[in-house]
């Protein structure tokens, strides 16, 4: 028997033992072993991120089943990769070789919605849009709204500390997670946080888990803060002959004390890509299209004031939407932008650099220079009100030279973001894609402390290994 064959036999025996142990606490239909099926759980939606081959995929339905999985993983020292809907854009949900993929998508019940306490208690697999609609029916609002909201899960949103379109007014996921139930690496169940309006008992472990990318424990239940549902928002579209003028408008709006419920920017490349994908009839002559929205009691008055600021910044056209339906159409276009840019050349690398708003114009100019230098198409879509940009490098993955230039430009944009006082990731997380960049941003002492925290929760290093650092 060759060494390779012997190794394969050994691997099969190890996997067989693992599967047998898992089946002692899970129903057979919750344990997937067919390689044709398990391979489909290997990746999230990020390009350029290596992924391993899972040994097994498990789909638990109860907290006890998750605890069982973690006890088996600890006993057999098998890595565990938690997954939601795998819409992540940093490789944070990618499998590692021989791992248990722990998909939380079947734990998808909304357990409670309390209009008095203004909270929802949910399992991690609840899809963001499902929760949003359910609370809307009771006159409540769950603000964090990633563009992927129809697919992504609350567990994934917590794992990546997701943002979205309305964060400029309402903040990001971290601001809405009050408490968590977490299954630890050894299978113990820990509750963090609160369901009260206030609470400061001990270290804020809830916040530590938000954005931890599945590296500290498995979120099995979340208590989320809700708000009263605001009035429907009205959107204004402003066209600019340069990205710099659009960024100037953003600065004027924020400096003027306005509080838009959304302030988004799309450059000409993005607008064209959306029209090509969905025939939305957006204006293609514009270099930058700014969408501003208000959900106040008099949104028309707010839009008039903001429209005037856009004109003062050089807008060539300012068009307020006539009604909520037209507003929704503009938002749909914006939500399509990353998918549309992917269709340009088949593959994208999506940067997530967030800079102080006052430096947004410099980031856009620098990105244009980088695109020219590398002879690439880079579409820019941005949560402009947050300074959070997604310069999206479009390339043909089958062309190694172009793919190499895409990776270089992706990195140069992060370097530029750091130079401008920003961060390498505003909302998509570090995952595999930005590992070296985390160290550049937080420095060696920062990395050492983060590793020490990880060691407390996961002394055997079995939780989502190879991510973050
Ligand atoms: C078209 C498109 C648009 C997008 N727009 C936005 C946007 O506007 N804003 C934004 O922030 N992101 C956006 N994203 C990125 C992505 O949708 C978010 O990061 C989302 O939060 C991921 O959720 P998911 O359920 O797909 O999680 P996954 O990708 O499956 O997992 C994400 C991370 O969370 C961990 N995780 C998942 N569930 C658990 C759990 N129960 N316990 C512990 N860890 C867990 C995983 O290990 C991984 O590290 C977009 C993606 C796409 C494809």
């Amino acid at each position: 028997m060759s060494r390779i064959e012997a190794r394969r036999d050994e691997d099969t025996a190890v996997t067989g033992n693992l599967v047998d142990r898992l089946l002692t606490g899970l129903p057979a239909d919750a344990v997937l072993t067919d390689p044709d099926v398990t391979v489909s759980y290997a990746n999230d939606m990020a390009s350029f991120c290596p992924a391993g081959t899972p040994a097994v995929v498990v789909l638990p339905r109860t907290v006890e089943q998750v605890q069982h999985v973690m006890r088996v993983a600890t006993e057999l020292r098998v890595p565990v990769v938690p997954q939601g809907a795998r819409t992540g854009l940093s490789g944070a949900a990618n499998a590692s070789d021989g791992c248990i993929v722990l998909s939380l998508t079947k734990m998808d019940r909304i357990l409670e919605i309390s209009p008095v306490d203004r909270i929802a208690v949910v399992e991690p697999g609840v899809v963001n849009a499902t929760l949003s609609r359910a609370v809307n029916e009771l006159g409540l609002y769950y603000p964090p709204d990633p563009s992927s909201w129809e697919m992504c899960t609350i567990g994934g949103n917590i794992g990546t500390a997701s943002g979205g379109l309305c964060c400029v007014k309402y903040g990001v996921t971290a601001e809405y997670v009050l408490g968590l139930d977490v299954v630890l690496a050894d299978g113990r169940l820990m509750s963090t946080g609160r369901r009260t309006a206030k609470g400061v008992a001990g270290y804020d472990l809830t916040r530590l888990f938000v954005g931890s990318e599945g590296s500290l424990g498995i979120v099995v239940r979340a208590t989320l803060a809700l708000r009263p549902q605001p009035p429907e928002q009205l959107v204004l579209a402003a066209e600019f002959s340069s990205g710099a003028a659009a960024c100037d408008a953003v600065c004027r709006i924020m400096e003027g004390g306005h509080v838009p419920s959304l302030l988004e920017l799309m450059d000409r490349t993005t607008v064209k890509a959306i029209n090509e994908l969905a025939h939305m009839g957006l204006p293609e002559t514009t270099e930058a299209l700014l969408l501003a929205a208000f959900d106040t009691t008099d949104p028309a008055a707010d839009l008039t004031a903001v429209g005037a600021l856009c004109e003062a910044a050089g807008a060539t056209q300012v068009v307020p939407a006539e009604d909520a339906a037209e507003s929704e159409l503009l938002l749909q276009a914006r939500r399509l932008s990353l998918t549309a840019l992917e269709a340009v050349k088949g593959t994208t690398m999506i940067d997530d650099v967030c800079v102080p708003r006052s430096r947004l114009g410099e980031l856009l100019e620098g990105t244009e220079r980088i695109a020219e230098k590398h002879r690439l198409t880079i579409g820019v879509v941005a949560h402009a009100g947050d300074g959070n940009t997604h310069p999206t490098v479009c390339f043909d993955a089958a062309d190694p030279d172009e793919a190499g230039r895409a990776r270089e430009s992706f990195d140069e944009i992060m370097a530029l973001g750091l130079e401008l006082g920003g961060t390498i990731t505003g909302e998509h997380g570090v995952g595999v894609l930005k590992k070296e960049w985390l160290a550049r941003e937080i420095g060696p002492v920062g990395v050492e402390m983060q590793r020490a925290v990880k060691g407390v929760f996961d002394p055997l290093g079995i939780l989502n290994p190879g991510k973050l650092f």
Side-chain angles (χ1 to χ4, degrees):
M1 186 188 286
S2 75
R3 233 198 277 156
I4 293 175
E5 279 166 339
R7 181 65 206 269
R8 205 178 296 139
D9 278 0
E10 221 174 87
D11 287 352
T12 309
V14 170
T15 303
N17 185 27
L18 170 63
V19 170
D20 289 345
R21 291 288 297 111
L22 288 170
L23 283 169
T24 60
L26 287 163
D29 66 354
V31 181
L32 312 180
T33 53
D34 178 348
D36 289 341
V37 176
T38 56
V39 74
S40 66
Y41 286 80
N43 292 83
D44 66 13
M45 293 196 183
S47 307
F48 275 119
C49 291
T53 307
V56 58
V57 173
V58 294
L59 296 140
R61 287 179 188 273
T62 66
V63 174
E64 292 71 26
Q65 288 175 0
V66 175
Q67 290 184 276
H68 172 72
V69 173
M70 292 314 303
R71 283 192 200 107
V72 170
T74 290
E75 181 195 322
L76 301 179
R77 308 288 195 265
V78 178
V80 175
V81 177
Q83 286 184 351
R86 286 181 287 113
T87 65
L89 294 171
S90 67
N94 281 9
S96 37
D97 274 332
C99 77
I100 300 171
V101 162
L102 177 52
S103 169
L104 283 307
T105 48
K106 299 279 187 213
M107 291 178 69
D108 61 353
R109 289 177 304 157
I110 298 175
L111 302 169
E112 180 188 349
I113 299 173
S114 167
V116 174
D117 294 332
R118 290 194 186 153
I119 56 165
V121 181
V122 302
E123 291 186 327
V126 171
V127 168
N128 181 299
T130 307
L131 174 65
S132 295
R133 291 190 185 111
V135 303
N136 285 169
E137 279 176 25
L138 299 172
L140 294 164
Y141 180 43
Y142 179 66
D145 63 340
S147 300
S148 54
W149 72 317
E150 294 281 7
M151 300 177 280
C152 65
T153 64
I154 296 296
N157 294 170
I158 293 170
T160 52
S162 267
L165 305 193
C166 71
C167 297
V168 62
K169 178 167 181 179
Y170 293 100
V172 294
T173 298
E175 276 130 280
Y176 292 87
V177 185
L178 299 178
L180 295 171
D181 282 1
V182 179
V183 173
L184 299 175
D186 59 9
R188 282 177 298 163
L189 182 64
M190 175 180 74
S191 291
T192 72
R194 58 194 163 91
R195 53 178 286 145
T196 49
K198 294 155 89 180
V200 291
Y203 292 132
D204 190 348
L205 296 185
T206 308
R207 193 85 180 211
L208 178 62
F209 273 88
V210 179
S212 62
E213 302 189 7
S215 66
L216 300 179
I218 314 297
V219 173
V220 288
R221 188 166 297 184
T223 302
L224 306 170
L226 304 173
R227 298 244 182 153
Q229 193 171 6
E232 247 171 337
Q233 58 184 359
L234 263 193
V235 180
L236 164 150
E239 297 174 37
F240 293 87
S241 54
S242 71
C247 293
D248 182 25
V250 171
C251 292
R252 287 172 192 247
I253 292 167
M254 300 313 282
E255 197 179 18
H258 297 278
V259 188
S261 50
L262 169 151
L263 193 52
E264 296 286 315
L265 183 146
M266 293 176 275
D267 71 355
R268 186 213 282 258
T269 304
T270 308
V271 165
K272 201 161 165 273
I274 295 168
N275 279 345
E276 265 160 36
L277 183 79
H279 313 289
M280 306 281 286
L282 298 173
E284 286 192 21
T285 47
T286 179
E287 284 303 319
L289 185 67
L290 195 64
L291 301 182
F294 284 87
D295 59 2
T296 49
T297 44
D298 190 358
D302 287 310
L303 288 185
T304 304
V306 158
L309 291 176
C310 288
E311 275 163 0
T316 50
Q317 181 107 316
V318 173
V319 188
E322 301 232 312
D323 52 25
E326 206 175 292
S327 295
E328 185 48 37
L329 214 62
L330 284 167
L331 298 191
Q332 265 177 29
R334 162 62 188 88
R335 288 197 190 102
L336 275 178
S337 51
L338 293 181
T339 312
L341 285 166
E342 191 165 351
V344 172
K345 291 210 104 179
T347 321
T348 51
M349 287 195 82
I350 305 166
D351 260 303
D352 178 34
V353 169
C354 189
V355 293
R357 284 175 209 114
S358 51
R359 315 294 301 268
L360 197 57
E362 290 167 78
L363 187 84
L364 256 64
E365 270 169 26
T367 300
E368 248 174 61
R369 277 198 306 276
I370 291 167
E372 265 169 39
K373 176 178 145 194
H374 290 288
R375 293 168 284 115
L376 286 166
T377 301
I378 303 182
V380 178
V381 48
H383 307 297
D386 302 323
N388 190 183
T389 65
H390 299 311
T392 302
V393 188
C394 307
F395 65 101
D396 176 0
D399 176 342
D401 177 57
E402 193 166 286
R405 285 183 277 126
R407 176 76 223 200
E408 275 176 50
S409 48
F410 177 79
D411 286 346
E412 285 176 22
I413 292 167
M414 277 192 282
L416 175 62
L418 290 180
E419 260 171 51
L420 295 174
T423 169
I424 54 163
T425 175
E427 57 183 17
H428 292 167
V430 174
V432 182
L433 197 57
K434 299 168 208 143
K435 264 164 68 164
E436 312 100 72
W437 288 90
L438 177 68
R440 288 211 212 178
E441 181 168 329
I442 68 174
V445 179
V447 172
E448 199 185 316
M449 288 299 127
Q450 298 225 359
R451 280 189 196 281
V453 171
K454 162 106 172 143
V456 169
F457 285 93
D458 181 22
L460 299 175
I462 58 171
L463 275 169
N464 214 3
K467 315 293 160 46
L468 284 165
F469 31 70

